[in-house]
Amino acid sequence: MLQQVNGHNPGSDGQAREYLREDLQEFLGGEVLLYKLDDLTRVNPVTLETVLRCLQARYMADTFYTNAGCTLVALNPFKPVPQLYSPELMREYHAAPQPQKLKPHVFTVGEQTYRNVKSLIEPVNQSIVVSGESGAGKTWTSRCLMKFYAVVATSPASWESHKIAERIEQRILNSNPVMEAFGNACTLRNNNSSRFGKFIQLQLNRAQQMTGAAVQTYLLEKTRVACQASSERNFHIFYQICKGASEDERLQWHLPEGAAFSWLPNPERSLEEDCFEVTREAMLHLGIDTPTQNNIFKVLAGLLHLGNIQFAASEDEAQPCQPMDDAKCEGQGVGWGRPCQEDSVRTAASLLGLPEDVLLEMVQIRTIRAGRQQQVFRKPCARAECDTRRDCLAKLIYARLFDWLVSVINSSICADTDSWTTFIGLLDVYGFESFPDNSLEQLCINYANEKLQQHFVAHYLRAQQEEYAVEGLEWSFINYQDNQPCLDLIEGSPISICSLINEECRLNRPSSAAQLQTRIETALAGSPCLGHNKLSREPSFIVVHYAGPVRYHTAGLVEKNKDPIPPELTRLLQQSQDPLLMGLFPTNPKEKTQEEPPGQSRAPVLTVVSKFKASLEQLLQVLHSTTPHYIRCIKPNSQGQAQTFLQEEVLSQLEACGLVETIHISAAGFPIRVSHRNFVERYKLLRRLHPCTSSGPDSPYPAKGLPEWCPHSEEATLEPLIQDILHTLPVLTQAAAITGDSAEAMPAPMHCGRTKVFMTDSMLELLECGRARVLEQCARCIQGGWRRHRHREQERQWRAVMLIQAAIRSWLTRKHIQRLHAAATVIKRAWQKWRIRMACLAAKELDGVEEKHFSQAPCSLSTSPLQTRLLEAIIRLWPLGLVLANTAMGVGSFQRKLVVWACLQLPRGSPSSYTVQTAQDQAGVTSIRALPQGSIKFHCRKSPLRYADICPEPSPYSITGFNQILLERHRLIHVTSSAFTGLG
């Protein structure tokens, strides 16, 4: 049917494929080299067969990512590959100058979006749409992208900012296990299928650092709480509680070992997602403390016990249905291993904080308000209605709890509006679903996938071709599969499937499944995407989606769309004593207006389809305002087995997502489109590379050599500037050839349209390399000028410092010399006074022995002038003895000779003519004073000079002591005789 709808003939397709196999037999024979093709646009020719073989070859070589032009194709490996998502690999892609030259990876898309945000090219905000069938790996891909951004977008400088960034990163990553535990479940096609849609907004500040995030959810499949298909499971959180709770927690939540619950099918199946500790730890990091967690899990345990309540049909319609006793439950096969009904009611009421009798009464009896007087009637419900009201109560509690968790996560990770300027959006929605029994949930899920496919078609296929034609580029249009007829069937105006279902909800009459089928088939008979199965016994209709036909059952479709919530159930939950339920169901007077009977001012019923359609339109508006990037997740097989590539299943997915048409357009088109103004603003620096734009006498631009450009220039003035930039392309190509990059040296296609410049990825790389080179030259020029300026400043500072230092040194030297002169003057005066005093003392104390000795000399000196000089010499020998006592003992000591010259006032001459000899062998000691007649006491007075008593470098052979004034007699006589000789 899909082939007929799309206008294909199976016979002609078979012949074409056979001819294609013959034509490409030689090419396909080289399958060994197919795994090396990183981009499917390099496959020649681009057909489903060649693309399929290339993907299979890469998948068998454990290469799971492949580029398809502007789209990344991700194959689910169905096995853990930790080295493919390590933090080291994330940093490698982030630090690479050109990440697109590395192997295709989900990190390449993440880094491209991050660099687009940093470049500030409109539109600055980015979005990544992760699409594919259920089980293709969309959730895992979104998780890897969040880890990548958490690693590369948090690089603060200070330690405090580093701590804040780590906390934000941890909270964003911890939101994943919480959302998956409460929103994912095991289905027939996927063990971790997202049963809700989410758009994660990663918020970045002006420095492109992650400051927070926000999560927006779409259409939680809350019916799964009370109804699960065969071989499927409930939400993961219920199994985590039953398998991971401790003994004390089991007692508190009434979950004994081996207990069976109606709403917990297939509990024996263990999955990787059944990790209770991971969920609890993540909730703790998000700000949900342990008491609140226990309260949440207690309410969820109450829902499990609520599902065990079974009702027996009442024989009297006026009497309410009573809970089924254990015997009847066992007889019907629904009570094995389960607690009795009375215990289930009592336990559920206790865990939910509700009175037992009130809970049972609200489920059994329906309240009706009728008449102008608003009379209240109480009508017992039938067994089916009791089960419906019980299920409605559970769905209402779980939906409110899920919304509350989302709000808590947002309050924990969302940043202030003033702290972020741009964002990167991650869209992870349900994949295309087709089960044996499809209802309203599958219709909404497939409707969302149709809208996303249409957005992709509009953005990359139709809009790209139309834009080429508007801009005046020569372009041959490619026929592609458009899903607009299918969208018209689902949401079109004035009549569509959604409008007919909503109309059935507004009618005040019971809805019939067969009647709804007849209305749909009659009103929409002209749609090519509507079909029906005449052999089916159940009322249903078929919609031919872009991924294949799906059969929807009309039974229960209208009731699910109404999603009725009886007012008495809401009032019941408002009476709960449980703290969590009191917060989820506050007493709000505004809710009473919804319980009033319909009147003239009755508002239209807000159905599930209407709410979902409104939220989907809002999401598409956000996507249209950003730069989208697409990741197509492909499921190699439906069994989830590694190294298994089923060509038929993959082929249907490639046909459904329009991958071949995407490759055709990406290979022959121009994925990079920049407006004239932005192009000139970013690449106007390249005009410096043009030889004719350099300043000089031959420059066409006077004065500075380059025309001035204003950001608000008109389009007419931008044309010559763009041409100047295009003239630099030969220079850039030559530079790329010199560096040895042959790929960039080839002339890359580039066209200038009416309002935009179109180019390929290689041309963009060439322009960016040229721009980086010009910026490097400018940076070097600025650095040279700055270094020259800094050097001149340093030289001036050095000269000033040297002048200041010279002035200070001269001042210090003058001060030092002045102090030395003052000290020398003081010493000289003190020495002169002391010498005069000693001379007088020596003259008075000369003893008779010395006078006698001199009188017996052969030459009489009494009357001779020579005697007078001898006496003066003797007097001068007094300080000579003191000095010689503290000098070296060597005979030829230079210091001794200088002292002798100074004291004896000898004429200057050769130092060798004056000798001082010692006579150790002669007896007797001569003193210049009288011999002491008893004990001698020397009275020492400390000198007023500061360093008078300190010898700088005392000699080990020197004679120390202040009072050792005795001189050798021979020395005295010899010196005296020498003095006479000198005087003579």
Side-chain angles (χ1 to χ4, degrees), residues 666-681:
S666 299
F670 307 96
I672 309 299
R673 301 177 301 276
V674 184
S675 64
H676 287 175
R677 190 179 307 278
N678 292 338
F679 181 80
V680 172
E681 182 179 0

Side-chain angles (χ1 to χ4, degrees), residues 47 51 54 69 81 115 128 148 170 255 272 383 571 617 730 770 813 852 905 931 957 966:
T47 60
V51 169
C54 180
V81 191
R115 295 192 180 187
I128 301 177
F148 175 79
Q170 190 65 31
L255 297 175
E272 182 183 356
R383 176 184 175 182
R571 290 194 298 267
E617 290 295 336
T813 304
K852 183 179 180 180
Q905 297 181 359
L931 294 176
Y957 305 100
L966 299 179

Side-chain angles (χ1 to χ4, degrees), residues 250-265:
R250 289 181 181 277
L251 293 177
Q252 295 176 8
W253 304 335
H254 299 277
L255 297 175
E257 283 285 347
F261 298 96
S262 301
W263 292 349
L264 205 67

Side-chain angles (χ1 to χ4, degrees), residues 158-207:
S158 63
W159 176 254
E160 183 179 357
S161 300
H162 181 69
K163 286 295 183 181
I164 297 175
E166 280 188 350
R167 184 172 69 251
I168 294 174
E169 171 189 350
Q170 190 65 31
R171 288 183 177 181
I172 292 175
L173 296 179
N174 283 327
S175 64
N176 272 333
V178 177
M179 299 290 287
E180 291 181 10
F182 285 85
N184 291 19
C186 176
T187 62
L188 294 175
R189 294 190 174 186
N190 186 9
N191 291 339
N192 190 28
S193 177
S194 298
R195 308 319 301 165
F196 69 103
K198 62 181 176 181
F199 181 72
I200 304 174
Q201 188 184 67
L202 303 178
Q203 301 160 348
L204 306 176
N205 58 12
R206 295 184 182 275

Side-chain angles (χ1 to χ4, degrees), residues 97-134:
Q98 296 178 349
Q100 60 272 15
K101 290 190 175 181
L102 300 178
K103 292 183 179 180
H105 203 285
V106 65
F107 298 154
T108 308
V109 180
E111 181 62 23
Q112 183 64 39
T113 57
Y114 186 68
R115 295 192 180 187
N116 288 352
V117 172
K118 294 179 68 176
S119 65
L120 300 178
I121 297 179
E122 294 293 339
V124 180
N125 297 326
Q126 308 289 312
S127 61
I128 301 177
V129 181
V130 184
S131 60
E133 291 190 4
S134 179

